[in-house]
Amino acid sequence: MRDVAVIGVGCTEFGEHWSTSFRNLFVEAGALALEDAGVTGEQIDALYVGNMSAGRFVEQEHIGALIADYAGLASNHAASTRVEAACASGGLAFRQAVTAVASGMEDIVVAAGVEKMTDVGTGASVDTLAGAADREWEGFAGATFPGLYAMIANNYMHRYSLTREQLAQVAVKNHDNGVHNPIAQFRQRITIDTVLNSSLVADPLRLFDCSPITDGAAAVVVVPLERAREFTDSPVRVLASAQASDTIALHDRRDISTLDATVAAGRRAFAQAKLKHSDIDLVEVHDCFTIAEICAIEDLGFCAKGEAGKLTEEGVTALGGALPVNTSGGLKACGHPVGATGIKQIYEIVQQIRGEAGGRQVDANIGMAHNVGGTGATVVVHILGGC
Amino acid sequence: MSVSRFWRKIPQRYNLIGTVCTTCGRHFYPPRSLCPDCRRGGKIIDHQFKGDGEVVTYTVIRTASDQFDSATPYVLAIVKLDEGPNLTAQIVCTPDEAHIGMRVKSVFRRIAADGESGVIHYGTKFVPAE
Ligand SMILES: [Zn+2]
């Protein structure tokens, strides 16, 4: 296996793109990544495109080919593959690209993620996202995606000491970080009262506990590490790429408020990279809901079960804390274009390691990205480090 | 949910029929045709559940998909059946009544409809049994 490096990253602004089509979103992110990498289109061997549900959001399938075509790569016949794992589609597309390069099958590969969610109404998007869970045995009963995470939250709060205020602080912290991120959908601070006074979506989760419906795309370019300096002076090395699965339905889990796939993928990633928790300078975790960030910090092993709320309250996970979590603003402030989120996490880690994160810059040499599909049926964890 | 997908599951949904692995004794609802513990070594047969259970966790859905929009707010829970398995179902009670640990029993109810004149989906809900 060859070592792999990221040599370029690009991302559109996340938000409601009323005047930009699905394909144009991707082209914008892809062009930014190629420009950043100093790579021309003809040099690209393959693309992996993370996308959850273009079929339902924009009624377009065959995304791999569409993306290759509109990226101007149809004439050189680059291999292009769509990768789907619900909200982990982007992280998994990155893993596929890393695998392809590491194996020696491909040399210059683009990993991208794209989703356009605002072309359908709220009820339809709620229904589409519910497809990330078990349609026949959860969706049939009326389960929504926020509803499933709300059941995780209630189970968690029944068993561990987590206050409603600590949960709200996750959103407050991520909005604080998003203020400094030019691609974030929300760049304004909020208070705990903002969260607690927002409307209930699925008890105990309120509107400001939830990541929004968002359009956006992100892309990164990966090459063998040995070739990285042909393109850039600041390659970022992929130190670990781990993936794990679990039951699709929340009701079949061993423990309702522990994501065992996160536990497994996290352990595998640490073992691959031969690193300890204290080596990690920052983490982008999958905060589709505030409770998800609490579970992620614990399930990745950064603290014991039941302690992440206190850590958040004490500022340990804030920008100036010992373990900055979601420096980008997370899914909460950046927005969550489901297929693009996993790539945006890599984009953030790379920017942090290269020292290009502006007002949200932390002291970073090693970063982790944690991307979850559904309520935890797929988890992808990557560790990246400066060279 | 499409009409065909709904009708296909009628026996299990109407009667709370799941399966049991006679090799290890583990019960499954929703039904499984492969035991995750015994895998191909497991022998799976149908099992009629009694329908008694306990709420493991719950929520009150206030923003639903279009199909369930008119039913909001409704209580959705993960119920642990006394025979072992968990399932996701609605509890017929007020948001204030719902709590973790609540004893419930299954009932046969209308779940949703495909619009005003569309097919009505029936299935299992639970009512408080305390
Ligand atoms: Zn068995």
Side-chain angles (χ1 to χ4, degrees):
Chain A
M1 296 277 275
R2 301 190 290 185
D3 283 324
V4 178
V6 179
I7 56 163
V9 296
C11 195
T12 67
E13 197 171 317
F14 279 12
E16 294 179 343
H17 286 279
W18 296 106
S19 58
T20 310
S21 72
F22 175 87
R23 62 190 74 187
N24 289 335
L25 278 174
F26 168 80
V27 169
E28 184 185 336
L32 288 168
L34 292 197
E35 192 181 325
D36 186 41
V39 166
T40 61
E42 308 83 72
Q43 293 175 282
I44 295 169
D45 297 320
L47 299 97
Y48 290 90
V49 183
N51 175 255
M52 172 176 167
S53 200
R56 294 189 56 150
F57 286 127
V58 296
E59 299 187 355
Q60 176 71 56
E61 308 288 9
H62 209 173
I63 299 309
L66 176 84
I67 293 301
D69 184 3
Y70 275 79
L73 302 176
S75 56
N76 66 322
H77 311 297
S80 184
T81 307
R82 174 185 179 171
V83 177
E84 191 273 319
C87 330
S89 299
L92 196 50
F94 182 69
R95 180 168 153 77
Q96 295 307 307
V98 168
T99 305
V101 172
S103 73
M105 283 282 281
E106 319 282 1
D107 270 341
I108 302 181
V109 178
V110 172
V114 56
E115 208 78 53
K116 183 137 196 354
M117 302 171 71
T118 64
D119 287 16
V120 296
T122 305
S125 61
V126 165
D127 188 54
T128 298
L129 292 170
D134 187 330
R135 175 68 68 178
E136 285 191 44
W137 297 104
E138 293 181 309
F140 176 81
T144 61
F145 205 51
L148 292 165
Y149 271 93
M151 291 201 288
I152 294 177
N154 265 339
N155 181 269
Y156 186 104
M157 292 171 92
H158 183 71
R159 295 163 63 192
Y160 306 105
S161 59
L162 173 76
T163 65
R164 197 33 272 215
E165 288 72 21
Q166 287 170 335
L167 204 50
Q169 183 59 31
V170 172
V172 171
K173 185 254 307 171
N174 289 348
H175 271 256
D176 282 350
N177 297 353
V179 166
H180 307 289
N181 192 344
I183 65 108
Q185 183 170 7
F186 301 124
R187 274 167 260 169
Q188 77 271 21
R189 291 181 206 282
I190 57 169
T191 64
I192 285 179
D193 282 342
T194 317
V195 183
L196 300 186
N197 293 328
S198 62
S199 58
L200 273 165
V201 173
D203 311 26
L205 300 181
R206 293 173 178 274
L207 188 63
F208 275 79
D209 289 294
C210 308
S211 54
I213 301 289
T214 309
D215 306 326
V220 304
V221 184
V222 298
V223 299
L225 179 63
E226 68 211 21
R227 289 193 58 190
R229 292 200 186 267
E230 287 174 34
F231 305 96
T232 177
D233 294 331
S234 52
V236 172
R237 186 173 169 182
V238 180
L239 300 171
S241 176
Q243 180 189 349
S245 57
D246 201 349
T247 64
I248 183 98
L250 181 64
H251 57 232
D252 283 327
R253 301 281 163 76
R254 179 188 64 82
D255 176 338
I256 300 296
S257 51
T258 299
L259 278 69
D260 279 344
T262 295
V263 176
R267 280 184 187 151
R268 287 173 196 169
F270 276 110
Q272 274 179 36
K274 299 185 178 65
L275 291 171
K276 342 182 263 304
H277 288 81
S278 57
D279 296 323
I280 305 291
D281 298 318
L282 79 151
V283 198
E284 287 286 297
V285 303
H286 196 92
D287 62 320
C288 46
F289 301 95
T290 47
I291 186 65
E293 176 165 323
I294 296 292
C295 291
I297 293 167
E298 296 169 356
D299 298 342
L300 288 169
F302 287 103
C303 66
K305 203 71 198 167
E307 287 181 2
K310 195 157 167 285
L311 237 57
T312 306
E313 185 179 22
E314 290 168 352
V316 174
T317 60
L319 278 188
L323 179 72
V325 176
N326 284 327
T327 55
S328 69
L331 285 55
K332 177 68 196 80
C334 285
H336 181 27
V338 279
T341 286
I343 300 290
K344 183 224 73 184
Q345 293 178 325
I346 303 297
Y347 171 81
E348 174 68 11
I349 301 287
V350 168
Q351 283 194 314
Q352 287 282 355
I353 290 172
R354 297 198 309 203
E356 296 170 355
R360 61 186 199 286
Q361 184 68 49
V362 299
D363 187 11
N365 189 45
I366 295 176
M368 174 182 269
H370 161 259
N371 192 198
V372 177
T375 54
T378 300
V379 174
V380 188
V381 174
H382 284 96
I383 303 177
L384 296 106
C387 311
Chain B
M1 176 171 295
S2 69
V3 172
S4 55
R5 190 164 42 181
F6 169 70
W7 286 111
R8 180 160 58 77
K9 285 292 178 184
I10 275 184
Q12 291 87 344
R13 286 224 172 90
Y14 278 20
N15 302 312
L16 210 60
I17 293 172
T19 51
V20 61
C21 172
T22 56
T23 309
C24 70
R26 187 170 162 190
H27 291 74
F28 303 103
Y29 193 92
R32 282 179 186 261
S33 52
L34 180 73
C35 174
D37 294 332
C38 306
R39 300 204 172 88
R40 282 178 299 146
K43 185 176 182 316
I44 301 275
I45 59 167
D46 282 355
H47 177 82
Q48 171 76 56
F49 285 89
K50 287 204 294 290
D52 300 317
E54 188 173 308
V55 170
V56 174
T57 187
Y58 73 97
T59 183
V60 183
I61 304 281
R62 299 180 189 266
T63 302
S65 65
D66 292 339
Q67 208 179 23
F68 289 90
D69 195 35
S70 60
T72 59
Y74 55 91
V75 177
L76 184 81
I78 291 179
V79 173
K80 184 176 180 58
L81 295 171
D82 288 350
E83 293 92 337
N86 287 350
L87 74 155
T88 301
Q90 290 183 32
I91 311 293
V92 186
C93 69
T94 66
D96 291 344
E97 280 176 86
H99 60 272
I100 291 172
M102 174 184 202
R103 291 292 302 172
V104 291
K105 67 193 300 295
S106 68
V107 290
F108 174 66
R109 288 287 162 90
R110 172 194 163 111
I111 303 287
D114 294 328
E116 281 194 11
S117 53
V119 172
I120 297 172
H121 300 176
Y122 292 95
T124 301
K125 290 189 183 180
F126 286 79
V127 294
E130 289 174 338

